[in-house]
Amino acid sequence: MRPPVLGPDPYGALMRTPAANLLTRAGLPKPPRLRRHEPGQDLLTGPALVIGLDGATWTGDLGTWLRAAGATVLDEHPGGTGEERLGAVLVDASGLRRVEELGQLRERLAPAFRRTRGRVLLLGADPARLTDPEARAVQQGLEGLLRSLAKEARGGTTVNLVRIAPGARTALRSAVEFLCSARSAFVHGQPVLVGAGEPAPARERPVAVVTGAARGIGAAIVDVLARTGHHVVCVDVPAAGDGLAAVANRVHGSTLHLDVTADTAPQVLATHLADRFDGADVVVHNAGITRDRSFVNLDEAAWNSVLDVNLRAPLRLTTGLLDHPGALAPAARFVYLSSINGLAGAKGQTNYATSKAGLVGLVQALAEPLAARGLAANAVAPGFIETPMTAAMPPVPRELGRRIASLQQGGLPVDVAEAVGWLAQPDAAGIDGQVLRVCGQNLLGA
Ligand code: NAD
C-alpha cells in the first residue's frame, strides 16, 4: 500500500482526515482550509453586507464595486435564523471621530461577524492625518479592534483594515477587491494605508523582473505576474539554471542568470531591461538567504553574505535601475521581500532580521522621491511560508512557526505572490511606502 501523501504540513493534512474529530475533542487546533484563487471563481461565497457608521462616505461606492465584481450586496443585516452565512461584511468606520461613536461597531458589526465566513473589512481614516486628539485616538483604536477580531475569527475568515488617505478612490477600490477575494487568503489582521494615485496607461505587454525566481516564493511570483499579463524576466544564480528555465518556460518568460551580489549586477540588469524590453514595469526583489547562528557565534562570512544578498543587492540594483535611462517603464513599481522576522526579531537571525528590517527602511525612504517620479515602492513581509527555506528548519521551531499564526498553518508561496501581484497592478498606484504582512496573523511581528 502506498503511504498517504502528507505534503509539507503533515499535521495540517492529518486534521483534514476523519481522525480530526477525535483530536479536536482532545483540544488540538484544527487549521481551517483556506479558499484560494481559482480561475472563474466567485468573489465571495455568500452575500456581502455593507455597513455605514456615522460620517461614512464610501458605502455607495463599496456596493457598486462589489456588484461590479459579481457579488450580491445587502445594506441591511439579513436577520432570520442565522443559518445563512455572509460571504463578507464591510464596515465604513472612516467617519468616526468620537469615543462614544465606537459603540456602533459593537452594535452593528457583532451580529454580522457571528455569521460571516469569508472576509471582514474595516474602513478607517489615516490616523496620522488627524490633528484632533480624540479623532486620532478613535481611528487608532480601530487597529486594536482589527487585531483582536482577527484572533477571534474562525473557519479561515480574514479581518483587515484599509486606512483611507485623501484622493485614494482608485487604490481603495483595488484594496477592497483584493482583500475581499480569495487572493488574500493569508493576509489577516493587517492595516493597509491607501493614498492618491492614478494608474498609468497599461502597456500592451508589461514586463516584470523577479530575482530569486528559480523556486519557492520567487517561482510563485513569476506565475502570478504571468497570469496578470506580464512578460516575466526570471533572474537567479547560474547554479539554479535548470529550475529557472523550468519556471520561465511554463509561463513563456525569459531567464537571466545573474548573481545579484556581483559588482556588475546593476549594470547588467539595467542594460538587459533597457535594451531588450523597453524597461520594466515591475521589479520584485525576492532573492534572499539565511545563515542562522546565535549572534556571538556569527562569523564575518555569515554576516556579510546575508547582508549582501538581502539588503545591499536590492539597494544597489534599485539605484542602478533608477539611474539607467530606459531601464524602467514610466510608472514602474518596486516590491521588496521583507520578513516578519525582520519586524519582530528572531533568535539566531540577527543578520537576517537586520537585512529584512533594512528593507523596510529602504521602502520608506524611497516612497516620496519615487512618488514624485510616478513610481512606487512597497514591501511584503511573509510569515511562515512552506518553501525549501522553511523545510530546512529544525522540526520543533518549524511546527511552532506554523501553529502560532491565527490561521494555525503556514502560508503557501502563492499567498505571498498574490500580494506582490496586487501591489504590481496599475490600479494599486496609490499604495506606496507600505509593508504588507502576509502571515495569517502570526503572533511574531503582528
Ligand atoms: P528560497 O531559498 O526557496 O529561494 C530563494 C531563491 O533566491 C533561490 O532560487 C536562490 O537561488 C535565489 N538566490 C539566492 N541568492 C541569490 C543571489 N545572490 N542572486 C540571485 N538569486 C539568488 O527562498 P524563499 O523561501 O522562496 O524566500 C524568498 C524570499 O522571501 C526571500 O527573500 C526570503 O527571505 C523571504 N521570506 C521567506 C519566508 C519563508 O517562510 N519562506 C518568510 C519570510 C520572508
Side-chain angles (χ1 to χ4, degrees), residues 81-170:
T81 59
E83 294 290 305
E84 194 202 349
R85 296 287 183 202
L86 293 167
V89 53
L90 291 86
V91 186
D92 182 355
S94 61
L96 299 187
R97 296 292 182 270
R98 300 286 157 246
V99 173
E100 55 271 20
E101 293 167 351
L102 283 169
Q104 295 171 27
L105 283 157
R106 194 191 59 78
E107 286 158 26
R108 308 276 306 276
L109 176 55
F113 183 67
R114 189 194 300 277
R115 291 176 57 168
T116 305
R117 284 291 174 276
R119 298 288 179 259
V120 177
L121 203 54
L122 307 174
L123 270 60
D126 177 10
R129 285 169 201 270
L130 296 170
T131 48
D132 175 64
E134 185 172 354
R136 184 164 179 164
V138 164
Q139 286 297 323
Q140 190 61 39
L142 294 182
E143 192 169 321
L145 177 77
L146 157 77
R147 303 229 193 252
S148 304
L149 266 188
K151 289 178 183 173
E152 292 187 15
R154 292 285 169 268
T157 295
T158 64
V159 188
N160 291 292
L161 165 66
V162 183
R163 290 176 165 146
I164 310 163
R169 189 185 182 78
T170 307

Coordinates of all heavy atoms in Angstrom, one line a residue, residues 81-170:
T81 N -32.7 33.2 11.0 CA -32.3 32.2 12.0 C -30.7 32.2 12.2 O -30.2 31.6 13.1 CB -32.6 30.8 11.5 OG1 -32.0 30.6 10.2 CG2 -34.1 30.6 11.4
G82 N -30.0 32.9 11.3 CA -28.6 32.8 11.4 C -27.9 31.7 10.7 O -26.7 31.5 10.8
E83 N -28.7 30.9 10.0 CA -28.2 29.7 9.3 C -27.3 30.2 8.1 O -26.3 29.7 7.8 CB -29.3 28.8 8.8 CG -30.1 28.1 9.9 CD -29.3 27.1 10.6 OE1 -28.8 26.2 9.9 OE2 -29.1 27.2 11.8
E84 N -27.9 31.2 7.4 CA -27.3 31.6 6.1 C -26.0 32.4 6.5 O -26.0 33.3 7.3 CB -28.2 32.5 5.3 CG -27.8 32.7 3.9 CD -28.4 33.9 3.2 OE1 -29.3 34.5 3.8 OE2 -27.9 34.3 2.2
R85 N -24.9 32.1 5.8 CA -23.6 32.8 6.0 C -23.5 34.0 5.1 O -23.8 33.9 4.0 CB -22.5 31.8 5.8 CG -22.4 30.6 6.7 CD -22.0 31.0 8.0 NE -21.9 29.9 8.9 CZ -21.9 29.9 10.2 NH1 -22.1 31.1 10.8 NH2 -21.8 28.9 11.0
L86 N -22.9 35.0 5.7 CA -22.4 36.1 4.8 C -21.1 35.8 4.3 O -20.2 35.2 5.0 CB -22.4 37.4 5.7 CG -23.7 38.0 6.2 CD1 -23.4 39.0 7.3 CD2 -24.5 38.5 5.1
G87 N -20.8 36.2 3.0 CA -19.5 36.0 2.4 C -18.6 37.1 2.9 O -17.3 36.9 2.9
A88 N -19.1 38.2 3.2 CA -18.2 39.3 3.6 C -19.1 40.4 4.4 O -20.3 40.5 4.1 CB -17.6 40.0 2.4
V89 N -18.4 41.0 5.3 CA -19.0 42.2 5.9 C -18.0 43.4 5.8 O -16.8 43.2 6.1 CB -19.5 42.0 7.3 CG1 -18.5 41.4 8.2 CG2 -20.1 43.3 7.9
L90 N -18.4 44.5 5.2 CA -17.6 45.7 5.1 C -18.2 46.8 5.9 O -19.4 47.1 5.8 CB -17.5 46.1 3.6 CG -16.7 45.1 2.7 CD1 -17.7 44.1 2.2 CD2 -16.1 45.9 1.5
V91 N -17.3 47.4 6.8 CA -17.8 48.4 7.7 C -17.1 49.7 7.4 O -15.8 49.8 7.6 CB -17.6 48.0 9.2 CG1 -18.2 49.0 10.1 CG2 -18.1 46.6 9.4
D92 N -17.8 50.7 7.0 CA -17.1 52.1 6.8 C -17.2 52.8 8.1 O -18.2 53.4 8.5 CB -17.9 52.8 5.7 CG -17.2 54.2 5.4 OD1 -16.2 54.5 6.1 OD2 -17.6 54.9 4.5
A93 N -16.0 52.8 8.8 CA -15.9 53.5 10.1 C -15.0 54.7 9.9 O -14.5 55.3 10.9 CB -15.3 52.5 11.1
S94 N -14.8 55.1 8.7 CA -13.8 56.2 8.4 C -14.3 57.5 8.9 O -13.5 58.5 9.0 CB -13.5 56.3 6.9 OG -14.7 56.6 6.2
G95 N -15.6 57.7 9.2 CA -16.1 59.0 9.7 C -16.1 59.1 11.2 O -16.5 60.1 11.7
L96 N -15.8 58.0 11.9 CA -15.9 58.0 13.4 C -14.8 59.0 13.9 O -13.7 58.9 13.6 CB -15.7 56.6 13.9 CG -16.7 55.6 13.5 CD1 -16.5 54.3 14.4 CD2 -18.2 56.1 13.7
R97 N -15.3 59.9 14.8 CA -14.3 60.8 15.4 C -14.4 60.9 17.0 O -13.6 61.5 17.6 CB -14.6 62.2 14.9 CG -14.3 62.4 13.4 CD -12.8 62.3 13.1 NE -12.6 62.4 11.6 CZ -12.6 61.5 10.7 NH1 -12.8 60.2 11.1 NH2 -12.3 61.7 9.5
R98 N -15.5 60.4 17.6 CA -15.7 60.5 19.0 C -15.8 59.1 19.6 O -16.3 58.1 19.0 CB -17.1 61.2 19.3 CG -17.2 62.6 18.7 CD -16.3 63.6 19.5 NE -16.0 64.7 18.7 CZ -14.7 65.1 18.3 NH1 -13.7 64.3 18.7 NH2 -14.5 66.2 17.6
V99 N -15.3 59.0 20.9 CA -15.2 57.7 21.6 C -16.6 57.1 21.6 O -16.7 55.9 21.4 CB -14.6 57.9 23.0 CG1 -14.6 56.6 23.7 CG2 -13.1 58.4 22.9
E100 N -17.6 57.9 21.9 CA -18.9 57.2 22.1 C -19.4 56.6 20.8 O -20.2 55.7 20.8 CB -20.0 58.2 22.7 CG -20.2 59.5 22.0 CD -19.2 60.6 22.5 OE1 -18.2 60.2 23.1 OE2 -19.5 61.8 22.3
E101 N -18.9 57.1 19.6 CA -19.4 56.5 18.4 C -18.8 55.1 18.1 O -19.3 54.4 17.3 CB -18.9 57.4 17.2 CG -19.6 58.8 17.2 CD -18.9 59.8 16.2 OE1 -17.8 59.5 15.7 OE2 -19.5 60.9 16.0
L102 N -17.7 54.8 18.8 CA -17.1 53.5 18.6 C -18.1 52.3 19.0 O -18.0 51.2 18.5 CB -15.8 53.3 19.5 CG -14.6 54.0 18.9 CD1 -13.5 54.1 20.0 CD2 -14.1 53.4 17.7
G103 N -19.0 52.6 19.9 CA -20.0 51.6 20.3 C -20.8 51.1 19.1 O -21.3 50.0 19.1
Q104 N -20.9 51.9 18.0 CA -21.6 51.5 16.8 C -21.0 50.2 16.2 O -21.7 49.4 15.6 CB -21.6 52.6 15.7 CG -22.4 53.8 16.2 CD -22.2 55.0 15.1 OE1 -21.9 54.7 14.0 NE2 -22.3 56.2 15.6
L105 N -19.7 50.1 16.4 CA -19.0 48.9 15.9 C -19.6 47.7 16.5 O -19.9 46.7 15.9 CB -17.5 49.0 16.1 CG -16.8 50.0 15.1 CD1 -15.5 50.5 15.7 CD2 -16.5 49.2 13.8
R106 N -19.7 47.7 17.8 CA -20.2 46.6 18.6 C -21.7 46.3 18.1 O -22.0 45.1 17.8 CB -20.1 46.8 20.1 CG -20.3 45.5 20.9 CD -20.5 45.9 22.4 NE -21.7 46.8 22.6 CZ -22.9 46.4 22.6 NH1 -23.2 45.1 22.4 NH2 -23.9 47.2 22.8
E107 N -22.5 47.4 18.1 CA -23.9 47.2 17.8 C -24.1 46.6 16.4 O -24.9 45.7 16.2 CB -24.6 48.5 17.9 CG -24.9 49.0 19.3 CD -25.1 50.5 19.4 OE1 -25.6 51.1 18.3 OE2 -24.8 51.1 20.4
R108 N -23.4 47.2 15.4 CA -23.7 46.8 14.0 C -22.9 45.6 13.5 O -23.3 44.8 12.7 CB -23.5 48.0 13.1 CG -24.2 49.3 13.6 CD -25.6 49.4 13.1 NE -25.8 49.2 11.7 CZ -25.7 50.2 10.7 NH1 -25.3 51.4 11.1 NH2 -25.9 49.9 9.5
L109 N -21.6 45.6 13.9 CA -20.7 44.6 13.4 C -20.9 43.2 14.1 O -20.8 42.2 13.4 CB -19.2 45.0 13.4 CG -18.2 44.1 13.0 CD1 -18.4 43.5 11.5 CD2 -16.8 44.7 13.0
A110 N -21.1 43.2 15.4 CA -21.1 41.9 16.1 C -22.1 40.9 15.6 O -21.7 39.8 15.3 CB -21.3 42.2 17.6
P111 N -23.3 41.3 15.3 CA -24.3 40.3 14.8 C -23.9 39.8 13.4 O -24.1 38.6 13.1 CB -25.6 41.1 14.7 CG -25.4 42.4 15.4 CD -24.0 42.6 15.5
A112 N -23.3 40.6 12.6 CA -22.8 40.2 11.3 C -21.6 39.3 11.4 O -21.4 38.3 10.6 CB -22.6 41.4 10.4
F113 N -20.7 39.7 12.2 CA -19.4 39.0 12.4 C -19.7 37.5 12.7 O -19.0 36.6 12.2 CB -18.6 39.6 13.5 CG -17.2 39.0 13.7 CD1 -16.2 39.1 12.7 CD2 -16.9 38.3 14.9 CE1 -15.0 38.6 12.9 CE2 -15.7 37.8 15.1 CZ -14.7 37.9 14.1
R114 N -20.7 37.3 13.6 CA -21.0 36.0 14.0 C -21.4 35.1 12.8 O -21.2 33.9 12.8 CB -22.3 36.1 14.9 CG -22.7 34.9 15.6 CD -24.1 35.1 16.2 NE -24.2 36.2 17.1 CZ -23.9 36.2 18.4 NH1 -23.5 35.0 18.9 NH2 -24.0 37.2 19.2
R115 N -22.0 35.7 11.8 CA -22.5 34.9 10.6 C -21.6 35.0 9.4 O -22.0 34.5 8.3 CB -23.9 35.5 10.3 CG -24.9 35.1 11.4 CD -26.2 35.7 11.1 NE -26.8 35.3 9.8 CZ -28.0 35.5 9.5 NH1 -28.8 36.2 10.3 NH2 -28.5 35.2 8.3
T116 N -20.4 35.6 9.5 CA -19.6 35.8 8.3 C -18.6 34.6 8.2 O -17.9 34.3 9.2 CB -18.8 37.1 8.4 OG1 -19.8 38.1 8.5 CG2 -18.0 37.4 7.1
R117 N -18.5 34.0 7.1 CA -17.4 33.1 6.7 C -16.8 33.6 5.4 O -17.3 33.3 4.4 CB -18.0 31.6 6.5 CG -18.3 30.9 7.8 CD -17.1 30.5 8.6 NE -17.5 29.9 9.9 CZ -17.9 30.6 11.0 NH1 -17.8 31.9 11.0 NH2 -18.3 30.0 12.1
G118 N -15.7 34.3 5.6 CA -15.1 34.8 4.4 C -14.2 36.0 4.7 O -13.1 35.9 5.2
R119 N -14.8 37.2 4.5 CA -14.0 38.4 4.7 C -14.7 39.4 5.5 O -15.9 39.7 5.4 CB -13.7 39.0 3.3 CG -13.0 38.2 2.3 CD -11.5 38.1 2.7 NE -10.8 37.2 1.8 CZ -10.4 36.0 2.1 NH1 -10.8 35.4 3.2 NH2 -9.7 35.3 1.3
V120 N -13.9 40.0 6.5 CA -14.3 41.2 7.2 C -13.4 42.3 6.9 O -12.2 42.1 7.0 CB -14.3 40.9 8.7 CG1 -14.7 42.1 9.5 CG2 -15.3 39.7 9.1
L121 N -13.9 43.4 6.4 CA -13.1 44.5 6.0 C -13.6 45.8 6.8 O -14.7 46.2 6.6 CB -13.2 44.7 4.5 CG -12.1 45.4 3.8 CD1 -10.7 44.7 4.2 CD2 -12.3 45.4 2.3
L122 N -12.7 46.4 7.5 CA -12.9 47.6 8.2 C -12.3 48.7 7.4 O -11.2 48.6 6.9 CB -12.3 47.7 9.6 CG -12.6 46.5 10.5 CD1 -11.8 46.6 11.8 CD2 -14.1 46.5 10.9
L123 N -13.1 49.8 7.2 CA -12.5 51.0 6.5 C -12.3 52.1 7.6 O -13.3 52.4 8.3 CB -13.5 51.5 5.4 CG -13.3 50.9 4.0 CD1 -13.4 49.4 4.1 CD2 -14.3 51.5 3.1
G124 N -11.1 52.7 7.6 CA -10.9 53.8 8.6 C -10.2 54.9 7.9 O -9.9 54.9 6.7
A125 N -10.0 56.0 8.6 CA -9.3 57.2 8.2 C -7.8 57.0 8.5 O -7.5 56.1 9.4 CB -9.8 58.5 8.8
D126 N -6.9 57.7 7.9 CA -5.5 57.6 8.3 C -5.3 58.4 9.6 O -5.3 59.6 9.6 CB -4.6 58.2 7.1 CG -3.2 58.2 7.5 OD1 -2.8 57.6 8.5 OD2 -2.4 58.9 6.7
P127 N -5.0 57.7 10.7 CA -4.9 58.4 12.0 C -3.8 59.5 11.9 O -4.0 60.6 12.6 CB -4.5 57.3 13.0 CG -4.8 56.1 12.3 CD -4.7 56.3 10.9
A128 N -2.7 59.3 11.2 CA -1.6 60.2 11.2 C -2.0 61.6 10.6 O -1.3 62.6 10.9 CB -0.5 59.7 10.3
R129 N -3.1 61.7 9.9 CA -3.5 63.0 9.3 C -4.5 63.7 10.2 O -5.0 64.8 9.8 CB -4.2 62.7 7.9 CG -3.2 62.4 6.9 CD -4.0 61.9 5.6 NE -3.0 61.2 4.8 CZ -2.3 61.7 3.8 NH1 -2.4 63.0 3.5 NH2 -1.5 61.0 3.2
L130 N -4.9 63.1 11.3 CA -5.9 63.7 12.2 C -5.2 64.5 13.3 O -4.4 63.9 14.0 CB -6.9 62.6 12.7 CG -7.7 61.9 11.7 CD1 -8.4 60.7 12.3 CD2 -8.7 62.8 11.0
T131 N -5.5 65.7 13.4 CA -4.8 66.6 14.4 C -5.6 66.6 15.7 O -5.0 66.8 16.8 CB -4.6 68.0 14.0 OG1 -5.9 68.5 13.4 CG2 -3.5 68.1 12.9
D132 N -6.9 66.4 15.7 CA -7.7 66.3 16.9 C -7.4 65.1 17.7 O -7.5 64.0 17.1 CB -9.2 66.3 16.5 CG -10.1 66.2 17.7 OD1 -10.1 67.1 18.6 OD2 -10.8 65.2 17.9
P133 N -7.0 65.2 19.0 CA -6.5 64.0 19.7 C -7.6 62.9 19.8 O -7.3 61.8 19.7 CB -6.2 64.6 21.1 CG -6.0 66.0 20.9 CD -6.8 66.5 19.7
E134 N -8.9 63.3 20.0 CA -9.9 62.3 20.2 C -10.1 61.6 18.9 O -10.2 60.4 18.8 CB -11.2 62.9 20.7 CG -12.3 61.9 21.0 CD -13.5 62.4 21.7 OE1 -13.5 63.6 22.0 OE2 -14.5 61.6 21.8
A135 N -10.2 62.4 17.8 CA -10.4 61.7 16.5 C -9.3 60.7 16.1 O -9.5 59.6 15.7 CB -10.5 62.8 15.4
R136 N -8.0 61.2 16.4 CA -6.9 60.3 16.2 C -6.9 59.0 17.0 O -6.7 57.9 16.6 CB -5.6 61.0 16.3 CG -4.4 60.2 16.0 CD -3.1 61.0 15.8 NE -2.0 60.1 15.5 CZ -0.9 60.4 14.9 NH1 -0.7 61.7 14.7 NH2 0.1 59.5 14.7
A137 N -7.3 59.2 18.3 CA -7.4 58.1 19.2 C -8.4 57.1 18.7 O -8.2 55.9 18.7 CB -7.7 58.6 20.6
V138 N -9.6 57.6 18.3 CA -10.7 56.8 17.8 C -10.2 56.0 16.6 O -10.4 54.7 16.5 CB -11.9 57.6 17.5 CG1 -12.9 56.9 16.6 CG2 -12.6 58.1 18.8
Q139 N -9.6 56.6 15.6 CA -9.1 55.9 14.4 C -8.0 54.9 14.7 O -8.0 53.8 14.1 CB -8.8 56.9 13.3 CG -10.0 57.6 12.7 CD -10.9 56.6 12.0 OE1 -10.4 55.6 11.3 NE2 -12.2 56.8 12.0
Q140 N -7.1 55.3 15.7 CA -6.1 54.3 16.1 C -6.7 53.1 16.8 O -6.2 52.0 16.7 CB -5.1 55.0 17.0 CG -3.8 54.2 17.2 CD -3.0 53.9 16.0 OE1 -2.9 54.7 15.1 NE2 -2.5 52.6 15.9
G141 N -7.8 53.4 17.5 CA -8.5 52.3 18.2 C -8.9 51.2 17.3 O -9.0 50.0 17.7
L142 N -9.2 51.6 16.0 CA -9.7 50.5 15.1 C -8.6 49.4 14.9 O -8.9 48.3 14.6 CB -10.0 51.2 13.7 CG -11.2 52.1 13.6 CD1 -11.3 52.6 12.2 CD2 -12.4 51.4 14.1
E143 N -7.3 49.8 15.1 CA -6.3 48.8 15.0 C -6.4 47.7 16.0 O -6.1 46.6 15.8 CB -4.9 49.5 14.9 CG -3.8 48.6 14.5 CD -2.5 49.2 14.2 OE1 -2.5 50.4 13.6 OE2 -1.5 48.7 14.5
G144 N -6.7 48.2 17.3 CA -6.9 47.2 18.3 C -8.0 46.3 18.1 O -8.0 45.0 18.3
L145 N -9.1 46.9 17.6 CA -10.3 46.1 17.2 C -9.9 45.1 16.1 O -10.2 43.9 16.2 CB -11.4 47.0 16.7 CG -12.7 46.2 16.3 CD1 -13.5 45.7 17.5 CD2 -13.5 47.1 15.4
L146 N -9.2 45.6 15.1 CA -8.8 44.7 14.0 C -8.0 43.5 14.5 O -8.3 42.4 14.1 CB -7.9 45.6 13.0 CG -7.0 44.8 12.1 CD1 -7.7 44.2 10.9 CD2 -5.9 45.7 11.6
R147 N -7.0 43.8 15.2 CA -6.1 42.7 15.6 C -6.8 41.7 16.5 O -6.5 40.5 16.5 CB -4.9 43.3 16.3 CG -4.1 44.3 15.5 CD -2.7 44.0 15.4 NE -1.9 45.1 14.9 CZ -1.3 45.1 13.7 NH1 -1.5 44.0 12.9 NH2 -0.7 46.1 13.3
S148 N -7.7 42.2 17.4 CA -8.4 41.3 18.3 C -9.5 40.5 17.5 O -9.6 39.3 17.7 CB -9.1 42.1 19.4 OG -8.1 42.8 20.1
L149 N -10.2 41.1 16.7 CA -11.2 40.4 15.9 C -10.6 39.3 15.0 O -11.1 38.2 14.9 CB -11.9 41.4 14.9 CG -13.2 42.1 15.3 CD1 -13.8 42.8 14.1 CD2 -14.2 41.0 15.8
A150 N -9.4 39.7 14.5 CA -8.7 38.7 13.7 C -8.4 37.4 14.5 O -8.4 36.3 14.0 CB -7.4 39.3 13.1
K151 N -8.1 37.6 15.8 CA -7.8 36.5 16.6 C -9.1 35.7 17.0 O -9.0 34.5 17.3 CB -7.1 36.9 17.9 CG -5.7 37.4 17.6 CD -4.9 37.9 18.7 CE -3.5 38.3 18.2 NZ -2.7 39.0 19.1
E152 N -10.2 36.3 16.9 CA -11.5 35.6 17.2 C -12.1 35.0 15.9 O -13.1 34.2 16.1 CB -12.5 36.6 17.8 CG -12.0 37.0 19.2 CD -13.1 37.9 19.9 OE1 -14.3 37.9 19.5 OE2 -12.7 38.5 20.9
A153 N -11.7 35.4 14.8 CA -12.3 34.9 13.5 C -12.1 33.4 13.4 O -11.1 32.8 13.9 CB -11.7 35.6 12.3
R154 N -13.0 32.7 12.8 CA -13.0 31.3 12.6 C -13.1 30.8 11.2 O -13.6 31.6 10.4 CB -14.1 30.6 13.4 CG -14.0 30.8 14.9 CD -13.0 29.8 15.5 NE -12.7 30.1 16.9 CZ -11.7 30.9 17.3 NH1 -10.9 31.5 16.4 NH2 -11.5 31.1 18.6
G155 N -12.7 29.6 10.9 CA -13.0 29.0 9.6 C -12.3 29.6 8.4 O -12.8 29.5 7.3
G156 N -11.2 30.2 8.7 CA -10.5 30.8 7.5 C -10.9 32.2 7.2 O -10.5 32.8 6.2
T157 N -11.9 32.8 8.0 CA -12.3 34.2 7.8 C -11.1 35.1 8.1 O -10.4 34.9 9.1 CB -13.5 34.5 8.7 OG1 -14.6 33.7 8.3 CG2 -13.9 36.0 8.6
T158 N -10.9 36.1 7.2 CA -9.9 37.1 7.5 C -10.5 38.4 7.8 O -11.6 38.7 7.4 CB -8.9 37.3 6.3 OG1 -9.7 37.8 5.2 CG2 -8.3 36.0 5.8
V159 N -9.7 39.2 8.6 CA -10.2 40.5 9.0 C -9.0 41.5 8.7 O -7.9 41.2 9.1 CB -10.5 40.6 10.5 CG1 -11.1 41.9 10.9 CG2 -11.4 39.5 11.0
N160 N -9.3 42.5 8.0 CA -8.3 43.5 7.6 C -8.8 44.9 7.7 O -10.1 45.1 7.7 CB -7.7 43.2 6.3 CG -6.8 41.9 6.3 OD1 -5.8 41.9 6.9 ND2 -7.3 40.9 5.6
L161 N -8.0 45.9 7.8 CA -8.4 47.3 7.9 C -7.7 48.1 6.8 O -6.5 48.1 6.6 CB -7.9 47.9 9.3 CG -7.9 49.4 9.5 CD1 -9.3 49.9 9.5 CD2 -7.2 49.7 10.8
V162 N -8.5 48.9 6.0 CA -8.0 49.8 5.0 C -8.1 51.2 5.5 O -9.2 51.6 5.8 CB -8.7 49.6 3.7 CG1 -8.1 50.5 2.6 CG2 -8.7 48.2 3.2
R163 N -7.0 51.9 5.6 CA -7.0 53.3 6.0 C -6.9 54.1 4.8 O -6.1 53.9 3.9 CB -5.8 53.5 6.9 CG -5.9 52.9 8.3 CD -4.7 53.1 9.1 NE -4.9 52.8 10.4 CZ -3.9 52.3 11.2 NH1 -2.7 52.0 10.8 NH2 -4.2 52.0 12.5
I164 N -7.8 55.1 4.8 CA -8.0 55.8 3.5 C -7.5 57.2 3.6 O -7.9 58.0 4.4 CB -9.5 55.9 3.2 CG1 -10.1 54.5 3.2 CG2 -9.7 56.5 1.8 CD1 -11.7 54.5 3.3
A165 N -6.5 57.5 2.8 CA -5.9 58.9 2.8 C -6.7 59.7 1.7 O -7.4 59.1 0.8 CB -4.4 58.9 2.4
P166 N -6.6 61.0 1.7 CA -7.4 61.8 0.7 C -7.0 61.4 -0.7 O -5.9 61.1 -1.0 CB -7.0 63.3 1.0 CG -6.6 63.2 2.4 CD -5.9 61.9 2.7
G167 N -8.0 61.3 -1.6 CA -7.8 61.1 -3.0 C -7.5 59.6 -3.3 O -7.1 59.3 -4.4
A168 N -7.9 58.7 -2.4 CA -7.5 57.3 -2.6 C -8.5 56.4 -3.3 O -8.4 55.2 -3.2 CB -7.2 56.7 -1.2
R169 N -9.4 57.0 -4.0 CA -10.5 56.3 -4.6 C -10.1 55.0 -5.4 O -10.5 53.9 -5.1 CB -11.3 57.2 -5.5 CG -12.6 56.7 -6.0 CD -13.2 57.7 -7.0 NE -14.5 57.1 -7.4 CZ -15.5 57.1 -6.7 NH1 -15.6 57.7 -5.5 NH2 -16.6 56.6 -7.1
T170 N -9.1 55.2 -6.3 CA -8.7 54.1 -7.1 C -8.0 53.0 -6.3 O -8.3 51.8 -6.5 CB -7.7 54.6 -8.2 OG1 -8.4 55.7 -8.9 CG2 -7.4 53.5 -9.2

